[in-house]
């Protein structure tokens, strides 16, 4: 069968999830680095979002579905535990990350730096300042979640961690979230440890288009 393609720009945290999943399973893939709403993506995702996937005749969209496929079709360590309790806890954290943490910390906070919508293009202070109390609560939740074992679920690396780490990579770069991370000892140690994991380290995205580095001035 032809090589698996992960379709989507490497800056997307959801694309990175699919790439880390491939790396963890030892699945070779080609990255097709296209933006949302381009013909390659629109042909697969009904709403034009990334990632999409192509493997032979099969096309899929949505990071969770793509990771399910990668996890079940290929050999290698399970990304989601097959034990029903640990599996359900993994799904619980994937859902919390994707439906609560990503919308606040990436789509609202990080976007206020990246796509600020201000007349001079500077970070959107009004948006950022309004988000800070909720962000602190999110950091407290995550710090508690990894305190016991250094993983979100049980004592092994799962798809739950794979979904969270690309978001923490962004958060480490921005001023307020970077400070919150450094003040959350368990979460900070979690990042230091797992950012070095080969699947995570080898999928670090290049700086966003139009930026020369990952530095975000306040
Ligand atoms: N639920 C989707 C979310 C994917 C997603 O939102 N991707 C972003 C890039 S990080 C995107 O394509 N945004 C374009 C849009 O929302 O129109 C998944 O898990 O794959």
């Amino acid at each position: 069968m032809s090589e698996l393609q992960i379709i989507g720009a490497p800056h997307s945290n959801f694309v990175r999830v699919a790439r880390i999943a491939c790396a963890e399973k030892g699945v070779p893939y080609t990255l097709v680095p296209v933006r949302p709403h381009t013909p390659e993506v629109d042909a697969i995702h009904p709403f034009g979002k990334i990632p999409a996937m192509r493997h032979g005749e099969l096309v899929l969209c949505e990071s969770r579905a793509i990771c399910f496929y990668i996890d079940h079709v290929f050999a290698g360590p399970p990304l989601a535990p097959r034990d029903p309790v640990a599996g359900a806890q993994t799904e619980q954290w994937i859902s919390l990350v994707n439906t609560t943490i990503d919308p606040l910390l990436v789509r609202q906070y990080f976007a206020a730096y990246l796509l600020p919508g201000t007349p001079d293009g500077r970070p959107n202070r009004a948006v950022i300042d309004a988000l800070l109390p909720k962000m602190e609560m999110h950091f407290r939740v995550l710090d508690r979640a990894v305190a016991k074992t250094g993983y979100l679920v049980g004592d092994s690396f799962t798809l739950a961690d794979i979904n969270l780490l690309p978001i923490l990579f962004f958060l480490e770069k921005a001023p307020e979230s970077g400070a919150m991370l450094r003040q959350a000892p368990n979460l900070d140690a979690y990042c230091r440890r797992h950012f070095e994991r080969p699947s995570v380290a080898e999928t670090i995205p290049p700086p966003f288009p139009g930026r020369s580095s990952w530095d975000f001035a306040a």
Side-chain angles (χ1 to χ4, degrees):
M1 193 183 255
S2 51
E3 192 166 68
L4 188 141
Q5 288 183 346
I6 300 293
I7 301 164
H11 312 94
S12 156
N13 49 311
F14 290 106
V15 170
R16 194 171 176 199
V17 166
R19 297 179 67 205
I20 295 174
C22 284
E24 286 289 330
K25 296 288 278 192
V27 177
Y29 67 95
T30 303
L31 179 69
V32 182
V34 290
R35 294 167 66 89
H37 311 291
T38 48
E40 294 91 331
V41 179
D42 287 341
I44 300 173
H45 196 299
F47 303 107
K49 296 191 187 207
I50 55 175
M53 187 206 87
R54 192 179 286 280
H55 191 211
E57 295 295 303
L58 177 71
V59 292
L60 282 173
C61 64
E62 291 288 306
S63 60
R64 184 64 193 94
I66 293 167
C67 289
F68 182 95
Y69 178 79
I70 292 166
D71 195 16
H72 286 80
V73 163
F74 296 98
L79 301 176
R82 303 303 192 251
D83 167 71
V85 172
Q89 289 167 337
T90 303
E91 295 305 327
Q92 167 190 283
W93 271 109
I94 294 168
S95 183
L96 289 168
V97 168
N98 290 346
T99 66
T100 303
I101 290 166
D102 173 87
L104 179 80
L105 294 173
V106 179
R107 311 293 140 188
Q108 294 183 63
Y109 170 70
F110 201 64
Y113 279 95
L114 206 59
L115 302 163
T118 49
D120 58 3
R122 290 186 60 74
N124 194 323
R125 286 295 348 152
V127 168
I128 294 165
D129 292 342
L131 294 173
L132 296 178
K134 252 192 182 170
M135 288 172 56
E136 280 169 355
M137 190 262 278
H138 279 219
F139 274 89
R140 278 197 299 276
V141 167
L142 290 171
D143 193 57
R144 266 200 310 272
V146 299
K148 199 165 159 201
T149 65
Y151 300 99
L152 279 175
V153 178
D155 56 4
S156 62
F157 192 74
T158 69
L159 198 51
D161 304 301
I162 294 176
N163 275 258
L164 180 60
L165 285 161
I167 294 176
L168 293 174
F169 173 83
F170 288 152
L171 296 178
E172 191 192 35
K173 311 293 177 202
E176 297 82 4
S177 54
M180 287 180 200
L181 180 58
R182 286 185 290 279
Q183 284 161 19
N186 303 302
L187 193 62
D188 194 35
Y190 172 89
C191 287
R192 302 283 72 77
R193 176 176 177 201
H194 296 308
F195 282 175
E196 301 215 327
R197 203 175 166 89
S199 63
V200 177
E202 73 192 30
T203 54
I204 291 176
F208 276 95
R211 303 189 78 106
S212 57
S213 80
W214 275 106
D215 271 350
F216 283 84

